[in-house]
Amino acid sequence: MRCTGLLLFPLLISHAVKALDNGLALTPIMGWLHWARFMCNVDCVADPDNCISERLFMQMADVMVKEGWRDAGYEYVCLDDCWPSRRRDASGGLQADPARFPGGIKRLADYVHSKGLKLGIYSDVGAETCAGYPGSLDHYEKDAQTFADWGVDLLKFDGCNMKWTRLAEGYRNMSRALNATGSRMVYSCEWPLYEWDFHKPNYTAVRETCNQWRNYADVYDSWSSVKSIAEWTALHQDAVAPWAGPGGWNDPDMLVIGNYGLSHDQQESQMALWALMAAPLLMSNDLRSLCPRAKALLQNRRVIAINQDPLGRQGYRTATLGSFEVWERPLSNRVLAVAVRNKQEIGGPQKLPIVKVPGWRTCGSLCNVTQILPQYKELGVQRQRTDLAVAVNPSGVVLLTFHPILD
């Protein structure tokens, strides 16, 4: 058994106080981002329904309102790479590809705002984006003002095509440029991701500069990818988790729920782990054709409430017990969220007594136990020596909350 005691939480979080001072992302942001599902599909002749175009983003905005996503908390509609023209305009400004975005980004932003949603956009700290489109190097102030003039609400700022020793300077310069516009834009950074290969990033500086930041590799539509992100986060949790809190969050990348690569149990595992990691919930899927089970999972108000808990502490992997691993996150009102994940990928459900969860001892003599996933169940008031056990499917998860009952 490998444990990290819950008493570490307040000690580790105590120095993660100063955040980017823009008043945004006080809880992890929620929304939709195109990359993992639609990638850099720019062929609107052969594939008009799925290419990166204003039509795609307007349709997603329509669906987000019509099918309850906005009401569930998903408010950002975000462009990733491949939206711009290959060349800047005559004044040196970024411009959208005129064939795919004939109305320009300003019109798209106005449309998204008319739906009660917010628009996110993408650029890069280097001279080119990862896909070879114009980056922002030597244009930070101009690009920041362009985004502000268009009414953009979020900037995802990638780290391709930049010497790693210049990343800190570039990310700080763009942060200052965004704030200087007077517009309120969430600043999503990839700074640590590109530094970890060389040294441990300066998370004090990262948190003072960014509202959220990527640490590890891109998510793919596969269970091995989701597992690798969770494992990296657990192995580095003492280095990264303390820095999460209102105004700044670790970003393990997009939710790929509703695509092709995960079973339903694995989709529940990603949703539960992202909730306990206090991660931004940025879906990358096709909301126009999402299956009902994936939609219900992504809109599960109890899971979202854990993710959005105002205490703002990131959870930790606190134990590995045979084929199980346990993740725990302290919530408001002394509630503890617990994810029990079955790492085994063969056979049937396995049972774990809840008394083996490290945080169970914080319950005292009595604790109310609620199961959130895979189905909502009130498991009742349990005594300290309860024999209650949870059955977890292979590669699946059981998500619980423990609420101590005070005498």
Side-chain angles (χ1 to χ4, degrees):
M1 173 176 173
R2 181 176 178 271
C3 292
T4 304
L6 281 174
L7 293 177
L8 287 175
F9 282 123
L11 297 176
L12 288 171
I13 200 73
S14 61
H15 68 281
V17 175
K18 189 174 181 182
L20 175 60
D21 186 20
N22 63 4
L24 300 173
L26 299 182
T27 59
I29 69 163
M30 299 173 60
W32 181 90
L33 179 66
H34 90 245
W35 185 259
R37 178 59 184 260
F38 295 94
M39 301 187 69
C40 194
N41 179 358
V42 296
D43 190 348
C44 291
V45 175
D47 195 7
D49 292 332
N50 299 299
C51 68
I52 308 309
S53 66
E54 66 180 24
R55 177 186 178 195
L56 176 69
F57 295 94
M58 288 177 175
Q59 288 180 349
M60 292 302 168
D62 291 342
V63 173
M64 286 175 74
V65 175
K66 181 180 178 181
E67 298 192 8
W69 298 101
R70 181 189 64 187
D71 295 340
Y74 295 92
E75 60 177 342
Y76 288 89
V77 180
C78 299
L79 293 79
D80 208 288
D81 206 345
C82 305
W83 65 268
S85 169
R86 290 286 185 180
R87 292 181 177 84
R88 290 177 173 267
D89 64 22
S91 68
L94 288 171
Q95 57 184 343
D97 182 280
R100 294 183 284 117
F101 294 86
I105 301 301
K106 179 67 168 66
R107 188 176 80 170
L108 178 59
D110 289 345
Y111 186 86
V112 168
H113 293 158
S114 75
K115 302 293 181 178
L117 299 166
K118 297 176 181 178
L119 183 72
I121 206 163
Y122 169 100
S123 190
D124 192 284
V125 70
E128 292 185 344
T129 70
C130 300
Y133 289 82
S136 290
L137 182 65
D138 298 326
H139 297 87
Y140 296 141
E141 292 79 8
K142 187 170 187 64
D143 289 355
Q145 190 59 56
T146 297
F147 299 147
D149 292 343
W150 287 343
V152 167
D153 304 290
L154 175 150
L155 172 62
K156 176 181 175 180
F157 209 43
D158 215 332
C160 283
N161 301 305
M162 184 72 150
K163 189 175 181 180
W164 77 269
T165 54
R166 298 186 61 195
L167 287 169
E169 174 190 6
Y171 276 99
R172 284 170 169 153
N173 285 341
M174 180 54 93
S175 184
R176 285 190 285 265
L178 292 172
N179 284 340
T181 68
S183 294
R184 290 164 58 82
M185 277 181 267
V186 170
Y187 188 32
S188 177
C189 302
E190 310 227 341
W191 173 4
L193 164 62
Y194 290 91
E195 282 199 356
W196 266 109
D197 285 343
F198 304 99
H199 70 168
K200 178 183 174 182
N202 178 354
Y203 280 98
T204 301
V206 171
R207 183 169 168 82
E208 290 173 350
T209 303
C210 310
N211 291 118
Q212 60 187 47
W213 48 87
R214 288 274 309 284
N215 295 305
Y216 185 60
D218 290 359
V219 71
Y220 281 71
D221 187 17
S222 74
W223 181 231
S224 62
S225 173
V226 172
K227 284 192 302 181
S228 72
I229 292 170
E231 182 66 17
W232 187 96
T233 303
L235 293 175
H236 295 83
Q237 61 189 7
D238 290 343
V240 302
W243 299 102
W249 310 96
N250 291 295
D251 178 8
D253 211 7
M254 294 160 275
L255 293 167
V256 291
I257 294 165
N259 291 323
Y260 305 100
L262 306 185
S263 71
H264 189 70
D265 283 299
Q266 292 162 357
Q267 292 180 38
E268 289 180 335
S269 291
Q270 188 187 23
M271 190 71 180
L273 290 175
W274 264 233
L276 265 70
M277 288 190 283
L281 298 183
L282 286 171
M283 307 175 289
S284 192
N285 48 25
D286 192 341
L287 297 176
R288 301 167 299 185
S289 58
L290 206 63
C291 76
R293 289 186 80 188
K295 178 182 177 181
L297 174 60
L298 287 162
Q299 292 189 4
N300 187 307
R301 62 183 178 85
R302 294 182 175 90
V303 182
I304 291 171
I306 292 172
N307 174 263
Q308 296 288 297
D309 184 78
L311 189 62
R313 294 186 180 179
Q314 180 169 331
Y316 285 69
R317 185 169 71 183
T318 57
T320 55
L321 304 161
S323 67
F324 294 102
E325 64 177 24
V326 179
W327 293 69
E328 304 179 51
R329 178 182 175 188
L331 307 178
S332 304
N333 301 315
R334 301 182 70 244
V335 175
L336 183 69
V338 177
V340 179
R341 189 172 81 81
N342 183 357
K343 298 185 295 179
Q344 195 163 281
E345 298 180 17
I346 193 171
Q350 301 291 316
K351 286 190 174 182
L352 181 75
I354 64 170
V355 295
K356 292 191 175 182
V357 172
W360 180 248
R361 65 181 180 272
T362 67
C363 275
S365 58
L366 294 173
C367 207
N368 190 66
V369 180
T370 303
Q371 178 178 296
I372 309 299
L373 290 175
Q375 298 91 25
Y376 176 78
K377 293 180 185 177
E378 287 290 350
L379 300 180
V381 175
Q382 303 292 327
R383 296 189 177 277
Q384 186 63 219
R385 296 186 178 182
T386 180
D387 59 0
L388 178 66
V390 292
V392 191
N393 292 344
S395 71
V397 72
V398 170
L399 179 61
L400 305 163
T401 58
F402 297 165
H403 193 165
I405 298 175
L406 302 178
D407 293 337

